[in-house]
Every structure is written in structure tokens, then in C-alpha cells.
Amino acid sequence: MVERGRAELPVVVIGAGPVGLAAAAHLLERGLEPLVLEAGSQPGAAVASWGHVRLFSPWRYDVDAAAARLLEPTGWSHPDPDVLPTGAELIAQYLAPLAQTEAIASRLLTGTRVLAVARDGADKTRSLGRARQGYRVRTMDANGAVGDVLARAVIDASGTYGSSNPLGISGLPAAGEERAQRFITGPLPDVLGADRARFAGRHTLVVGMGHSAANTLLSLVELARDEPTTTITWAIRGGSTRRLFGGGSDDELPARGLLGTRLKEAVEAGQVRLLTRVSIEKLLPSEESVQILGTNREGGLDLTVHAIVNATGFRPDLDMLREVRLDLDPVVEAPTALAPLIDPNQHSCGTVPAHGERVLAHPDDGFYLAGMKSYGRAPTFLLATGYEQVRSIAAALAGDRASADAVELDLPETGVCSTDLGGDGDEVSAEGSCCGSTPAEPQLVTLGAGPGLGFATGVVHGRSGDDVGN
Ligand SMILES: Cc1cc2nc3c(=O)[nH]c(=O)nc-3n(C[C@H](O)[C@H](O)[C@H](O)COP(=O)(O)OP(=O)(O)OC[C@H]3O[C@@H](n4cnc5c(N)ncnc54)[C@H](O)[C@@H]3O)c2cc1C
């Protein structure tokens, strides 16, 4: 009986980030068997790569309710709800203890990368009997051994942090970009900490126009105070920095105003050289540096730097889902029904309405994108929203339709979101948004009312960031 066989299989959760682990907790509460597959060597592997960055959401919005219920009997106590953790603290005080609970530890495989998901026994074109089939999840362990796991359902919570947009302007890598990889970092290198040596006294090009770019630029400016030979160039695709610089003290978001004002001052003081209308066409790596060729407002671009910070945002890895029948929006690559709710042209992170399983469903039943990946290229994702997604998905998989359809997300009246920064100023893009901050003077941030969600305020430290597009 194929049907019964499918029901006995585990629900595979891809990724042990905050949302994947929360999914496991909700599935367990529903009496379903999760199996969490994590590519990294530790839970929260993506968060670890921005561990030095402070979240803008205080602890009260960072902990999933089912996860807390699993943790409490172990003697764990909820961190101070009003404190903003760093990524490293999120792991140490929440994700790691959660992954170590007996219930999850025995159902979590780290060092296990999912290569592909397919309907077991039915390629994408086969419809006959498709709905009865479970899923075949192809994996590769840390030693390169490939294997298959069968699943009744799959929740892909693998995030987007592993797939940055390329530097090339058309969404394709610039010529030589792959060969130049050793000179290119992610959007939030630890400039003042672990990665200092890479930038101190060197020339860095920061590409992008969101908060990650701003964060990194300001950290580089700080580094240059101690290491005066540090040189900073900033490249943006558009012609104006207006949206990132914001309205200064008149800005409706004080933190945005502060961030923008500081960056504006740094540009005006010549600490940061700004290049606009940049198109990177070719990268020529050599031993110590990389030459960048292309165009900018002034004509040809020919720049040689020691490091490039790619802060152009992220995109979901859809290659591994090639055999799954997905229903995705052609623009943001989020589930079609979700796309209008998260459109970065209309929503900041605080104004996305809560949504559940129905909005996240695809033509292949039992397959879901959840967490950051469910937002595709939109940068407006919040943990609290992801926790509600997986609560609803677990309820649906358990057959509790009423609970799956009920919206239980109590989106905060205070303190979730630092910014709704948009694109290049003279064009609308999915850039800017919901990211963390590096410690500085705390600022009280007030966000305007958004559709359906009222008012949000929050404490944000001096700098914050993340972006999509450049
Ligand atoms: C700098 C920064 C600050 C942020 N600050 C906030 C904040 O203050 N508040 C807020 O609500 N949100 C914030 N966010 C947004 C969002 O909540 C986080 O990105 C969060 O980590 C998303 O959780 P996730 O579980 O969906 O994905 P991730 O945390 O990205 O986890 C995905 C996991 O999947 C694993 N993985 C990836 N590919 C595979 C594969 N093929 N097979 C197996 N495993 C795989 C990864 O290793 C990773 O562990 C921030 C984001 C960033 C980047």
C-alpha cells in the first residue's frame, strides 16, 4: 500500500536554521516524525557566518513557541525578551540548545547537503499516480558520499544566504567572476574582528545599495581610522544614493536617518569614493589583487582592488528543486500567492501580513518552501513570520485544517524591523531591508503603520543591513 508507506516516512526538513529547527519542533508536537538535514557542520550554520551582527529583533520575536516548549523542560530559560542578540548569541543561547534536545538531536544530520528533491518514482512530467508518491531527497555527506532519503513531505528551509546575486549587472556573473572568487566576500564580513587583516591597509570595493553595504562601508571607515592606508570604493548600479542616505534627521526612520547620514558624511568627507551607474563586466584576478573593468557614470571603469564585498543580495537555490512542481512568482521567485504579500516595492519587513500553509502550497502536495527561502528574492523576511509558516504547515500535514488556516502570529507592536530601505533611488528594486546591526549607540526606531499591521517600533543599534539587487 503506497499510501500507507508514504504516511510512515519522515517529514524531511532541509536546513537547521531558526526556521528549520522550529519546523522540527512543531512537527514533533503534532506527532509527526521530522528528519532535519543540515549542510553545515553545526545548526544555524548560515547565522554563524553573520554571528558578529546584531539582530534588530529582540529575543521575544526570535524564539519559536514550540521550540521554547521543547527547551523549557531541559532547564533552558528564555533570554531577556527585550535584548537584541547577535547572530552568535542566537546560536549559543537558543539554536544550539534546541538542536541538542534529545528529541531533535536524534533527528538531525549535520554535514548533510541536500542536492535534489524529486517525487519518488515520478519525474516532473509524470502525472499518473503522482499524488500517491512520497519524495526522494538526494543528499551528500561531508565525505562526498551520495545517498537518498525517502520522505512523506518536504519543508525546504534552506535559506538563501548561500547564494548571493552575482556582481554582473544582468543577473549573470561578470566575465571572470568565478575565477576571482577568492577576492570576493559575502555582504557582511567581520571587518573590525575576525576578517580585519583582509581589509586593513587594503583597497576594498563594496558593491550594493542596501543596509549590508552601508554597514560594511561604515565598518571600513572605522577601520581606516586605525589603519589610514585602508581605501574604500563603493559601487552602485543606480544613479543616486538618495534612498540609502534617507532624510537625515527628518527621516521617518531615525535609524535609517542615522545610518544614511553617517554614510553621506563619509562620502562627502572623501573617506568613501562613490561610483554610480556602475556595470561590472570583467574581473581579472592576479596574485594579490583583482582588476575590475566595466562602465560607470563617468565612462569606463578600470579599478584594481584587494577585496570585493558583494552586497547585492541573495536569490533562492532552485536548481535542487528542478523535479518538483512549483508555483513561483516570476519576479521574486516566491510562492505565487505569497509574492504580492511580500513585494519589496510595497512592504517593509514589518508590514508583511501573517500567512500559512495555503499560501505556501505548491502543485506537488506536501512540498513547502519556508523561512527566508520562501521569500525568494524579496528581503522582507522576519523570523516571527517564518515560525508561523511552519506552525501552519505542521498543522496541515497533521490534518488539522482549522489550525492550519488560523493565523496565530501575534506580530509585534514593538520592535521587529529596522528599515524598509529600497533600491537605487531612481529605480525601484528589491534591495535594502531586514537585517541586523553592529553594536553602536542604541536608537529607538519607529516604523510607520503598514497595511494590516499597525505600528511597529524597535530598538536598533547604529548600523543595520541587508539587500537584494544592487
Ligand atoms: C545579517 C542578518 C540579520 C538579520 N536580522 C534579523 C532580525 O533581526 N530579525 C528577523 O526577524 N530576521 C532577521 N534576519 C532575516 C532572517 O530571519 C534570517 O536570515 C534567518 O537566519 C532566516 O532563517 P532561515 O532558517 O529561514 O534560514 P537560514 O538561517 O539561512 O538557515 C538555513 C540553513 O539551511 C542550511 N542549508 C542551506 N542549503 C542547504 C542544503 N542544500 N542542504 C541542507 N542544508 C542547507 C544552511 O546551512 C543553514 O543552516 C536577518 C538576516 C541577516 C542576513
Side-chain angles (χ1 to χ4, degrees):
M1 296 287 286
V2 179
E3 190 62 32
R4 185 190 288 166
R6 180 179 175 190
E8 286 165 1
L9 296 171
V11 177
V12 162
V13 177
I14 309 176
V19 177
L21 290 175
H26 282 280
L27 291 165
L28 285 165
E29 279 196 343
R30 290 282 178 178
L32 298 170
E33 192 58 31
L35 176 62
V36 184
L37 306 176
E38 165 57 48
S41 58
Q42 62 168 101
V47 176
S49 57
W50 48 270
H52 59 289
V53 178
R54 194 170 292 284
L55 278 80
F56 56 81
S57 304
W59 273 110
R60 74 175 72 242
Y61 304 115
D62 303 334
V63 174
D64 172 72
R69 290 191 285 272
L70 203 56
L71 277 162
E72 271 149 16
T74 68
W76 174 85
S77 49
H78 197 299
D80 185 337
D82 296 323
V83 165
L84 304 169
T86 61
E89 288 163 353
L90 188 73
I91 296 173
Q93 294 173 45
Y94 171 51
L95 298 178
L98 178 59
Q100 281 156 15
T101 57
E102 208 183 308
I104 293 192
S106 57
R107 297 168 173 99
L108 166 63
L109 295 177
T110 54
T112 306
R113 175 170 293 281
V114 170
L115 300 177
V117 181
R119 212 82 206 222
D120 187 31
D123 74 11
K124 199 171 195 171
T125 62
R126 185 172 175 84
S127 297
L128 191 65
R130 187 175 187 85
R132 288 197 300 275
Q133 302 298 118
Y135 288 88
R136 181 172 288 267
V137 180
R138 183 143 300 169
T139 63
M140 186 171 72
D141 72 15
N143 300 317
V146 174
D148 284 356
V149 176
L150 297 182
R152 62 172 286 181
V154 175
I155 301 173
D156 181 352
S158 61
T160 56
Y161 206 76
S163 41
S164 285
N165 287 322
L167 294 169
I169 195 168
S170 310
L172 301 174
E177 189 168 333
E178 265 135 54
R179 270 184 295 117
Q181 274 309 314
R182 70 180 190 282
F183 293 101
I184 303 173
T185 76
L188 289 159
D190 191 0
V191 170
L192 298 169
D195 301 318
R196 187 184 174 100
R198 187 163 185 182
F199 302 99
R202 320 279 279 173
H203 184 183
T204 301
L205 174 71
V206 177
V207 186
M209 237 282 287
H211 272 181
S212 293
N215 245 325
T216 299
L217 286 162
L218 289 172
S219 294
L220 286 165
V221 168
E222 203 171 322
L223 179 67
R225 267 186 223 122
D226 292 343
E227 305 275 358
T229 53
T230 304
T231 309
I232 312 159
T233 305
W234 176 26
I236 64 170
R237 184 176 59 190
S240 161
T241 52
R242 187 169 42 88
R243 291 181 71 137
L244 185 55
F245 284 167
S249 58
D250 294 333
D251 202 295
E252 60 178 347
L253 300 176
R256 176 172 69 182
L258 181 67
L259 181 83
T261 303
R262 289 174 58 203
L263 190 53
K264 188 166 183 252
E265 283 166 5
V267 170
E268 285 169 358
Q271 294 164 309
V272 172
R273 179 185 172 211
L274 171 66
L275 302 174
T276 60
R277 299 224 177 276
V278 170
S279 170
I280 294 175
E281 280 150 26
K282 197 171 196 175
L283 300 180
L284 293 169
S286 61
E287 193 88 342
E288 286 274 307
S289 57
V290 54
Q291 187 182 7
I292 301 156
L293 299 174
T295 57
N296 73 120
R297 189 194 286 276
E298 282 141 35
L301 176 73
D302 183 348
L303 194 66
T304 297
V305 301
H306 300 104
I308 302 173
V309 174
N310 180 355
T312 60
F314 303 97
R315 52 179 60 174
D317 174 6
L318 298 174
D319 291 350
M320 66 194 236
L321 306 178
R322 177 105 193 243
E323 288 306 314
V324 183
R325 292 184 182 176
L326 299 174
D327 179 15
L328 293 179
D329 178 80
V331 179
V332 286
E333 297 181 332
T336 301
L338 177 59
L341 308 182
I342 61 175
D343 183 344
N345 298 304
Q346 291 175 29
H347 292 286
S348 73
C349 41
T351 67
V352 172
H355 51 271
E357 189 269 349
R358 273 193 205 279
V359 160
L360 298 165
H362 291 279
D364 265 335
D365 71 296
F367 179 86
Y368 301 99
L369 296 169
M372 189 77 188
K373 189 166 182 175
S374 71
Y375 276 39
R377 297 187 187 212
T380 40
F381 178 75
L382 283 178
L383 287 172
T385 319
Y387 296 156
E388 169 60 8
Q389 291 180 336
V390 293
R391 183 206 64 77
S392 173
I393 291 169
L397 289 172
D400 185 349
R401 196 66 255 170
S403 175
D405 287 341
V407 174
E408 291 185 10
L409 178 60
D410 184 17
L411 261 178
E413 279 179 23
T414 59
V416 283
C417 176
S418 69
T419 172
D420 62 357
L421 274 193
D424 289 342
D426 54 359
E427 61 186 88
V428 179
S429 83
E431 182 180 311
S433 84
C434 301
C435 264
S437 52
T438 45
E441 287 302 301
Q443 299 286 314
L444 187 68
V445 169
T446 305
L447 300 183
L453 275 183
F455 211 70
T457 59
V459 174
V460 172
H461 288 245
R463 287 163 278 159
S464 61
D466 198 21
D467 11 48
V468 168
N470 65 348

